[in-house]
Amino acid sequence: YEDALKAARIPYVTLAGKGYYNRAEVRDLIQLLRALDNPQDDLAVATVLRSPLYALSDETLYRLRRDGQPFRETLNAIPEDIVGDERARVEFAHGSLEKLWARVGRVPILDLLKGALAETDYLGTLTSLADGDRRRANVEKLLALARRTGLVRLSDLNAYLLDLTVQEVREGEAVVEVEKAVRLMSIHRAKGLEFPIVVIPDASRAPREGSDTLLADRRGGVAVTVRDPRGERVETVAYQLLKLDAIRRDDAEEKR
């Protein structure tokens, strides 16, 4: 449908009801929270340093990490071969992160995020990118989530966000009002809204049939059926549990 709208040069806004937590701007801030929660999480720290928050180059990240030392240690003793503007960026990132680490557990998470955004001018950077308004709106939506939870412990919010991501909660991107445009959205996002014209594609599509030999679930793992001595297929306990969970999810989805 998006390809058809592009071909017809029709303005549209994608509100597909998925992918919010995979948006780059949201992912950057989630990784920042993980890095602040655990300074030894080098993957999270590297992601933050490479992101538009601090914009370090790949070469600089290599020089910081080439001796195998954690990023926090090398930021305290910046290698001499990092010079010029890149060294200034590293020094800024070091000072900024240390100030944020010092505030962890002392202020609400919302204040940590606001402080990071203000110091790095992250929202200004997003505005200069393509689709800047939506990027800013997505960040503001994450701030609203932090405000709504009122959490202070980073581990609690990180666990909460991880749970939302793993369960693939239908969290749509923030809405940016665009006049005279087609809106693509899930039935969940469309709830309570009104439009003069509505197109519902694939309304007659039949539900997918489950496998009678294997079931897989992100949280429950994989389960299979087996054959007994008579050659008849038997559902294992693990398979029955996953099957029951799938039935419950389908029933809940149908009710929604």
Side-chain angles (χ1 to χ4, degrees):
Y1 304 108
E2 292 188 50
D3 290 340
L5 293 173
K6 289 178 181 177
R9 297 184 179 180
I10 298 175
Y12 71 93
V13 179
T14 303
L15 299 172
K18 64 180 180 180
Y20 171 73
Y21 296 105
N22 283 323
R23 289 289 298 192
E25 60 276 6
V26 177
R27 194 169 60 242
D28 288 345
L29 295 181
I30 291 177
Q31 291 298 324
L32 173 64
L33 293 177
R34 290 174 179 166
L36 295 179
D37 184 35
N38 179 14
Q40 301 305 312
D41 187 343
D42 272 357
L43 180 59
V45 175
T47 302
V48 171
L49 292 175
R50 187 64 181 84
S51 76
L53 284 160
Y54 300 110
L56 299 189
S57 68
D58 293 335
E59 182 180 354
T60 297
L61 290 182
Y62 165 73
R63 289 178 174 176
L64 288 171
R65 195 65 173 78
R66 64 187 168 193
D67 292 331
Q69 298 296 318
F71 276 113
R72 192 174 188 183
E73 293 183 17
T74 56
L75 287 173
N76 282 316
I78 304 173
E80 295 182 356
D81 56 353
I82 298 179
V83 298
D85 292 341
E86 196 69 9
R87 188 177 189 86
R89 280 193 285 270
V90 174
E91 291 173 346
F92 170 74
H94 173 228
S96 174
L97 287 172
E98 287 296 336
K99 284 191 288 186
L100 291 171
W101 274 317
R103 301 182 69 193
V104 170
R106 299 183 178 182
V107 299
I109 295 171
L110 177 62
D111 291 346
L112 278 177
L113 287 173
K114 284 185 174 180
L117 293 175
E119 187 161 325
T120 61
D121 193 25
Y122 187 63
L123 291 178
T125 301
L126 294 181
T127 302
S128 66
L129 301 176
D131 200 18
D133 289 341
R134 181 168 301 283
R135 292 174 186 270
R136 286 182 63 104
N138 282 332
V139 170
E140 289 164 0
K141 188 172 181 178
L142 183 63
L143 295 178
L145 173 64
R147 182 183 298 109
R148 187 167 64 249
T149 61
L151 296 173
V152 175
R153 292 179 55 189
L154 282 168
S155 57
D156 291 340
L157 182 62
N158 282 328
Y160 178 70
L161 291 173
L162 178 61
D163 188 52
L164 291 181
T165 305
V166 169
Q167 294 187 46
E168 294 184 319
V169 172
R170 289 177 172 81
E171 185 69 33
E173 293 187 54
V175 176
V176 176
E177 292 299 327
V178 178
E179 296 183 358
K180 297 181 180 179
V182 174
R183 293 190 181 186
L184 307 183
M185 58 178 63
S186 69
I187 192 170
H188 306 281
R189 288 291 296 162
K191 183 178 179 181
L193 302 180
E194 296 182 358
F195 299 95
I197 300 174
V198 176
V199 178
I200 306 178
D202 291 341
S204 61
R205 183 175 58 184
R208 292 185 304 171
E209 295 184 1
S211 169
D212 61 351
T213 57
L214 181 145
L215 288 177
D217 181 82
R218 285 180 180 271
R219 305 181 71 176
V222 178
V224 297
T225 58
V226 297
R227 293 191 181 277
D228 62 16
R230 294 174 296 178
E232 296 180 358
R233 193 169 295 281
V234 178
E235 295 181 353
T236 61
V237 174
Y239 185 92
Q240 292 177 30
L241 292 174
L242 289 187
K243 183 178 179 180
L244 181 60
D245 285 342
I247 292 174
R248 288 173 177 169
R249 285 197 300 269
D250 289 344
D251 288 344
E253 178 70 5
E254 184 64 25
K255 290 177 181 179
R256 281 195 292 270

